[in-house]
mmCIF file of all heavy atoms in Angstrom:
data_model
loop_
_atom_site.group_PDB
_atom_site.id
_atom_site.type_symbol
_atom_site.label_atom_id
_atom_site.label_comp_id
_atom_site.label_asym_id
_atom_site.label_seq_id
_atom_site.Cartn_x
_atom_site.Cartn_y
_atom_site.Cartn_z
ATOM 1 N N ARG A 1 -54.066 -24.321 -10.466
ATOM 2 C CA ARG A 1 -52.655 -24.498 -11.014
ATOM 3 C C ARG A 1 -52.055 -25.870 -10.658
ATOM 4 O O ARG A 1 -52.398 -26.391 -9.571
ATOM 5 C CB ARG A 1 -51.702 -23.352 -10.572
ATOM 6 C CG ARG A 1 -52.225 -21.945 -10.685
ATOM 7 C CD ARG A 1 -51.175 -20.978 -10.303
ATOM 8 N NE ARG A 1 -51.643 -19.558 -10.394
ATOM 9 C CZ ARG A 1 -51.919 -18.826 -9.347
ATOM 10 N NH1 ARG A 1 -51.917 -19.263 -8.131
ATOM 11 N NH2 ARG A 1 -52.468 -17.705 -9.545
ATOM 12 N N PRO A 2 -51.235 -26.362 -11.493
ATOM 13 C CA PRO A 2 -50.552 -27.695 -11.203
ATOM 14 C C PRO A 2 -49.665 -27.513 -9.970
ATOM 15 O O PRO A 2 -48.930 -26.393 -9.865
ATOM 16 C CB PRO A 2 -49.918 -28.013 -12.455
ATOM 17 C CG PRO A 2 -49.551 -26.727 -13.295
ATOM 18 C CD PRO A 2 -50.812 -25.908 -12.829
ATOM 19 N N ILE A 3 -49.678 -28.487 -9.042
ATOM 20 C CA ILE A 3 -48.708 -28.332 -8.010
ATOM 21 C C ILE A 3 -47.571 -29.301 -8.097
ATOM 22 O O ILE A 3 -46.761 -29.542 -7.240
ATOM 23 C CB ILE A 3 -49.372 -28.796 -6.565
ATOM 24 C CG1 ILE A 3 -50.175 -30.091 -6.635
ATOM 25 C CG2 ILE A 3 -50.368 -27.664 -6.249
ATOM 26 C CD1 ILE A 3 -50.831 -30.566 -5.319
ATOM 27 N N SER A 4 -47.415 -29.885 -9.287
ATOM 28 C CA SER A 4 -46.342 -30.757 -9.733
ATOM 29 C C SER A 4 -46.138 -30.603 -11.201
ATOM 30 O O SER A 4 -46.959 -29.966 -11.943
ATOM 31 C CB SER A 4 -46.594 -32.186 -9.349
ATOM 32 O OG SER A 4 -47.509 -32.821 -10.070
ATOM 33 N N ALA A 5 -45.174 -31.258 -11.771
ATOM 34 C CA ALA A 5 -44.730 -31.096 -13.127
ATOM 35 C C ALA A 5 -45.760 -31.875 -14.017
ATOM 36 O O ALA A 5 -45.869 -31.602 -15.221
ATOM 37 C CB ALA A 5 -43.301 -31.614 -13.393
ATOM 38 N N GLU A 6 -46.356 -32.838 -13.561
ATOM 39 C CA GLU A 6 -47.275 -33.604 -14.290
ATOM 40 C C GLU A 6 -48.694 -32.996 -14.510
ATOM 41 O O GLU A 6 -49.156 -32.231 -13.559
ATOM 42 C CB GLU A 6 -47.558 -35.081 -13.608
ATOM 43 C CG GLU A 6 -46.384 -36.029 -13.817
ATOM 44 C CD GLU A 6 -46.799 -37.402 -13.534
ATOM 45 O OE1 GLU A 6 -47.970 -37.557 -13.028
ATOM 46 O OE2 GLU A 6 -46.154 -38.271 -13.826
ATOM 47 N N PRO A 7 -49.298 -33.131 -15.741
ATOM 48 C CA PRO A 7 -50.609 -32.542 -15.890
ATOM 49 C C PRO A 7 -51.694 -33.295 -15.069
ATOM 50 O O PRO A 7 -51.518 -34.353 -14.634
ATOM 51 C CB PRO A 7 -50.948 -32.823 -17.438
ATOM 52 C CG PRO A 7 -49.996 -33.965 -17.785
ATOM 53 C CD PRO A 7 -48.800 -33.881 -16.819
ATOM 54 N N GLU A 8 -52.763 -32.527 -14.837
ATOM 55 C CA GLU A 8 -53.933 -33.121 -14.110
ATOM 56 C C GLU A 8 -54.526 -34.313 -14.886
ATOM 57 O O GLU A 8 -54.494 -34.192 -16.115
ATOM 58 C CB GLU A 8 -55.032 -32.032 -13.881
ATOM 59 C CG GLU A 8 -54.489 -30.905 -12.955
ATOM 60 C CD GLU A 8 -54.448 -31.418 -11.431
ATOM 61 O OE1 GLU A 8 -55.063 -32.350 -11.121
ATOM 62 O OE2 GLU A 8 -53.756 -30.729 -10.740
ATOM 63 N N PRO A 9 -54.998 -35.425 -14.282
ATOM 64 C CA PRO A 9 -55.402 -36.473 -15.180
ATOM 65 C C PRO A 9 -56.838 -36.177 -15.678
ATOM 66 O O PRO A 9 -57.524 -35.256 -15.274
ATOM 67 C CB PRO A 9 -55.653 -37.586 -14.079
ATOM 68 C CG PRO A 9 -55.733 -36.807 -12.776
ATOM 69 C CD PRO A 9 -54.926 -35.607 -12.895
ATOM 70 N N GLU A 10 -57.090 -36.791 -16.906
ATOM 71 C CA GLU A 10 -58.324 -36.575 -17.570
ATOM 72 C C GLU A 10 -59.523 -37.158 -16.670
ATOM 73 O O GLU A 10 -59.331 -38.044 -16.117
ATOM 74 C CB GLU A 10 -58.273 -37.175 -18.974
ATOM 75 C CG GLU A 10 -57.247 -36.641 -19.938
ATOM 76 C CD GLU A 10 -57.657 -35.275 -20.289
ATOM 77 O OE1 GLU A 10 -58.806 -34.886 -20.324
ATOM 78 O OE2 GLU A 10 -56.656 -34.453 -20.584
ATOM 79 N N GLU A 11 -60.723 -36.477 -16.945
ATOM 80 C CA GLU A 11 -61.968 -37.093 -16.317
ATOM 81 C C GLU A 11 -62.322 -38.250 -17.038
ATOM 82 O O GLU A 11 -62.415 -38.442 -18.176
ATOM 83 C CB GLU A 11 -62.957 -35.956 -16.385
ATOM 84 C CG GLU A 11 -64.189 -36.422 -15.572
ATOM 85 C CD GLU A 11 -65.186 -35.119 -15.464
ATOM 86 O OE1 GLU A 11 -64.677 -34.058 -15.251
ATOM 87 O OE2 GLU A 11 -66.356 -35.365 -15.540
ATOM 88 N N LEU A 12 -62.746 -39.234 -16.219
ATOM 89 C CA LEU A 12 -63.113 -40.572 -16.722
ATOM 90 C C LEU A 12 -64.580 -40.851 -16.567
ATOM 91 O O LEU A 12 -65.303 -40.208 -15.690
ATOM 92 C CB LEU A 12 -62.270 -41.682 -16.012
ATOM 93 C CG LEU A 12 -60.790 -41.501 -16.101
ATOM 94 C CD1 LEU A 12 -60.138 -42.484 -15.058
ATOM 95 C CD2 LEU A 12 -60.371 -41.854 -17.561
ATOM 96 N N PRO A 13 -65.148 -41.661 -17.390
ATOM 97 C CA PRO A 13 -66.538 -42.091 -17.155
ATOM 98 C C PRO A 13 -66.789 -42.867 -15.970
ATOM 99 O O PRO A 13 -65.733 -43.531 -15.488
ATOM 100 C CB PRO A 13 -66.816 -43.027 -18.433
ATOM 101 C CG PRO A 13 -65.555 -43.451 -18.897
ATOM 102 C CD PRO A 13 -64.530 -42.439 -18.560
ATOM 103 N N ASP A 14 -67.945 -42.908 -15.378
ATOM 104 C CA ASP A 14 -68.202 -43.513 -14.133
ATOM 105 C C ASP A 14 -67.786 -45.119 -14.044
ATOM 106 O O ASP A 14 -67.241 -45.605 -13.036
ATOM 107 C CB ASP A 14 -69.702 -43.543 -13.778
ATOM 108 C CG ASP A 14 -70.061 -42.181 -13.271
ATOM 109 O OD1 ASP A 14 -69.194 -41.363 -13.103
ATOM 110 O OD2 ASP A 14 -71.318 -41.784 -13.100
ATOM 111 N N SER A 15 -67.874 -45.709 -15.137
ATOM 112 C CA SER A 15 -67.528 -47.122 -15.240
ATOM 113 C C SER A 15 -66.070 -47.396 -15.064
ATOM 114 O O SER A 15 -65.673 -48.593 -14.606
ATOM 115 C CB SER A 15 -68.002 -47.728 -16.673
ATOM 116 O OG SER A 15 -67.235 -47.054 -17.646
ATOM 117 N N GLN A 16 -65.206 -46.452 -15.174
ATOM 118 C CA GLN A 16 -63.826 -46.667 -15.021
ATOM 119 C C GLN A 16 -63.274 -46.123 -13.680
ATOM 120 O O GLN A 16 -62.138 -46.213 -13.403
ATOM 121 C CB GLN A 16 -63.063 -46.078 -16.145
ATOM 122 C CG GLN A 16 -63.336 -46.410 -17.541
ATOM 123 C CD GLN A 16 -62.439 -45.824 -18.634
ATOM 124 O OE1 GLN A 16 -61.368 -45.430 -18.330
ATOM 125 N NE2 GLN A 16 -63.018 -45.878 -19.877
ATOM 126 N N LEU A 17 -64.153 -45.681 -12.800
ATOM 127 C CA LEU A 17 -63.841 -45.223 -11.487
ATOM 128 C C LEU A 17 -63.842 -46.308 -10.479
ATOM 129 O O LEU A 17 -64.635 -47.253 -10.538
ATOM 130 C CB LEU A 17 -64.640 -44.034 -11.135
ATOM 131 C CG LEU A 17 -64.657 -42.652 -12.088
ATOM 132 C CD1 LEU A 17 -65.564 -41.736 -11.506
ATOM 133 C CD2 LEU A 17 -63.272 -42.310 -12.218
ATOM 134 N N PRO A 18 -63.119 -46.229 -9.425
ATOM 135 C CA PRO A 18 -63.195 -47.260 -8.285
ATOM 136 C C PRO A 18 -64.523 -46.986 -7.695
ATOM 137 O O PRO A 18 -65.196 -46.010 -7.774
ATOM 138 C CB PRO A 18 -61.944 -46.653 -7.301
ATOM 139 C CG PRO A 18 -61.214 -45.866 -8.276
ATOM 140 C CD PRO A 18 -61.971 -45.179 -9.243
ATOM 141 N N SER A 19 -64.914 -47.865 -6.877
ATOM 142 C CA SER A 19 -66.176 -47.956 -6.037
ATOM 143 C C SER A 19 -66.052 -46.845 -4.991
ATOM 144 O O SER A 19 -64.981 -46.418 -4.707
ATOM 145 C CB SER A 19 -66.329 -49.258 -5.425
ATOM 146 O OG SER A 19 -65.504 -49.531 -4.357
ATOM 147 N N LEU A 20 -67.198 -46.486 -4.517
ATOM 148 C CA LEU A 20 -67.317 -45.426 -3.521
ATOM 149 C C LEU A 20 -66.579 -45.776 -2.290
ATOM 150 O O LEU A 20 -65.896 -44.959 -1.752
ATOM 151 C CB LEU A 20 -68.824 -45.085 -3.174
ATOM 152 C CG LEU A 20 -68.923 -43.875 -2.219
ATOM 153 C CD1 LEU A 20 -68.323 -42.533 -2.638
ATOM 154 C CD2 LEU A 20 -70.344 -43.747 -1.799
ATOM 155 N N PHE A 21 -66.702 -47.005 -1.800
ATOM 156 C CA PHE A 21 -66.040 -47.469 -0.610
ATOM 157 C C PHE A 21 -64.477 -47.419 -0.665
ATOM 158 O O PHE A 21 -63.794 -46.894 0.070
ATOM 159 C CB PHE A 21 -66.556 -48.824 -0.200
ATOM 160 C CG PHE A 21 -65.806 -49.399 0.859
ATOM 161 C CD1 PHE A 21 -65.976 -48.983 2.195
ATOM 162 C CD2 PHE A 21 -64.769 -50.315 0.763
ATOM 163 C CE1 PHE A 21 -65.254 -49.570 3.281
ATOM 164 C CE2 PHE A 21 -63.953 -51.010 1.735
ATOM 165 C CZ PHE A 21 -64.307 -50.474 3.103
ATOM 166 N N VAL A 22 -64.039 -47.973 -1.927
ATOM 167 C CA VAL A 22 -62.573 -47.925 -2.120
ATOM 168 C C VAL A 22 -62.093 -46.515 -2.227
ATOM 169 O O VAL A 22 -60.960 -46.210 -1.748
ATOM 170 C CB VAL A 22 -62.267 -48.756 -3.337
ATOM 171 C CG1 VAL A 22 -60.866 -48.653 -3.828
ATOM 172 C CG2 VAL A 22 -62.588 -50.208 -3.107
ATOM 173 N N SER A 23 -62.906 -45.593 -2.846
ATOM 174 C CA SER A 23 -62.419 -44.238 -3.038
ATOM 175 C C SER A 23 -62.465 -43.489 -1.702
ATOM 176 O O SER A 23 -61.585 -42.605 -1.480
ATOM 177 C CB SER A 23 -63.398 -43.553 -4.004
ATOM 178 O OG SER A 23 -63.397 -44.175 -5.337
ATOM 179 N N LEU A 24 -63.332 -43.728 -0.797
ATOM 180 C CA LEU A 24 -63.337 -43.106 0.517
ATOM 181 C C LEU A 24 -62.297 -43.619 1.373
ATOM 182 O O LEU A 24 -61.954 -42.998 2.506
ATOM 183 C CB LEU A 24 -64.796 -43.119 1.056
ATOM 184 C CG LEU A 24 -65.780 -42.286 0.492
ATOM 185 C CD1 LEU A 24 -67.222 -42.590 1.053
ATOM 186 C CD2 LEU A 24 -65.544 -40.819 0.742
ATOM 187 N N LEU A 25 -61.894 -44.856 1.214
ATOM 188 C CA LEU A 25 -61.204 -45.594 2.141
ATOM 189 C C LEU A 25 -59.754 -44.875 2.622
ATOM 190 O O LEU A 25 -59.467 -44.711 3.765
ATOM 191 C CB LEU A 25 -60.774 -46.954 1.739
ATOM 192 C CG LEU A 25 -60.228 -47.891 2.859
ATOM 193 C CD1 LEU A 25 -61.160 -48.092 3.915
ATOM 194 C CD2 LEU A 25 -59.952 -49.352 2.303
#
């Protein structure tokens, strides 16, 4: 369920995601 009023973001292709290091930081 949503925990805020905003909808969950759409799933993006790998090319549009941050790098693993930046994501884990």
Side-chain angles (χ1 to χ4, degrees):
R1 306 185 184 105
I3 56 176
S4 65
E6 283 198 349
E8 297 286 337
E10 295 292 329
E11 186 168 321
L12 300 170
D14 285 351
S15 60
Q16 297 184 27
L17 298 180
S19 68
L20 180 60
F21 174 76
V22 171
S23 300
L24 283 171
L25 195 57

